[in-house]
Each structure stands twice: as structure tokens, then as C-alpha cells.
Amino acid sequence: MALKSLPLSEVYALLEPGPVVLLTTADKTDRANVMTMSWHMMMEFTPPLVGCVVSEGNHSFKALRATKECVIAIPARRLATKVVKVGNCSGRDFPNKSGADKFAAIGLTPRPARMVSAPLIANCFANLECRVVDTRMVARYNMFVLEVVKAWRDPAQKNPKTIHYQGWGRFAVDGRVITLKSGKA
């Protein structure tokens, strides 16, 4: 088999780390915002630590840096169109102080979180309330380390399928699950 050179600008599509999620924030005036995010990774099991990259130009970056709180909401496949709509607009496009108009315009339902000021998204099958615990990589890489302080799951959403970004508007959907013997019982 002959290998073909791949442009370096396309490498990210091969290594997307996990499901596409929605990141919610609330700035110091409690204006809520939501953005689509796929550049994240689990860093530790206990306590659960998540690394995420948020572009410095995003409204969410400023809010996350100022408040050190957010929610990672995990949508199922049925929300894919709304997830793309969130990714294709900016919080600056929605001047309402509460941010509720962006959620309403896209058809997402914000709900109060228990431990952070950013809202949960009721439409998602899971929500993770997070606090920033490490900002040492923010200045250089826009990477925040978050600790999950409260987790929620919607029991009505059975066997949700997540979506995974592959670049240029293409997404893969979770498929069949297999179970293999593990070192742990």
C-alpha cells in the first residue's frame, strides 16, 4: 500500500478527542452564553478533571477566565442540528443581558445549576458543572483544566448516541458498543 501525504491542516480531524459538547458560561453580570466545543479531554478520574481549549476570541473565554466556572453539556445525536447552529453564531449576536435569547433562538432550555452560575441545558443527556482548577496553560494554549464538581444525567434519554466532529461539517455518530475483558472486574 502506498501512503499519501496529508496536509498538516487536516491532522485535527483525525484526532478529535471525544464527543462534541456544549459549554455554557455566565459572565459576572450573569449573562449566559453557550458555545460548541470539541477540543477537550479527560485528564484524571478522581477527582474528574477535564482539559478544554477555548479560543481567546470567544465570549465564553472571557467569561470562563473571569468566573472560573462553566457547564459541559453533552448532547445526543438528536440535537446535532442545534449544536451546529450554536457553533455557527456568537454570543455577540444576541444582545439580551440574560443570554436567554440565544438559547431560545436555537431551541435549547437552560436550567439553573446547583454549584456554578452557568446554566445546565435540559435538552442534553448529561451536564457537568465545572470549576477551573488550573490556568497555567491558558496564556500559551488557551487550555483550561476543569474539575467536575457536580454531574447530572437525564434518565429519560436511554442509550444516547454522541456526535464526533471530523472536520468540514462531517460528524460521526457513536455506533455499536462492544465489551472486552478488562483488568478490573
Side-chain angles (χ1 to χ4, degrees), residues 29-117:
T29 67
D30 288 331
R31 180 177 188 259
N33 191 43
V34 58
M35 66 168 270
T36 299
M37 180 175 71
S38 61
W39 291 5
H40 54 81
M41 64 182 166
M42 285 301 305
M43 296 179 71
E44 185 59 71
F45 178 74
T46 304
L49 297 180
V50 178
C52 69
V53 175
V54 180
S55 175
E56 188 175 3
N58 290 342
H59 175 78
S60 296
F61 177 91
K62 293 173 186 72
L64 186 56
R65 192 167 212 179
T67 66
K68 297 191 174 13
E69 298 180 340
C70 65
V71 168
I72 296 174
I74 306 171
R77 159 63 179 100
R78 65 184 179 82
L79 292 178
T81 303
K82 292 177 183 188
V83 168
V84 170
K85 284 182 185 177
V86 170
N88 287 333
C89 68
S90 166
R92 289 180 279 283
D93 299 333
F94 299 89
N96 181 310
K97 181 181 184 259
S98 70
D101 54 351
K102 181 175 182 180
F103 288 83
I106 293 171
L108 297 174
T109 307
R111 292 284 185 256
R114 184 174 295 168
M115 308 281 288
V116 301
S117 58

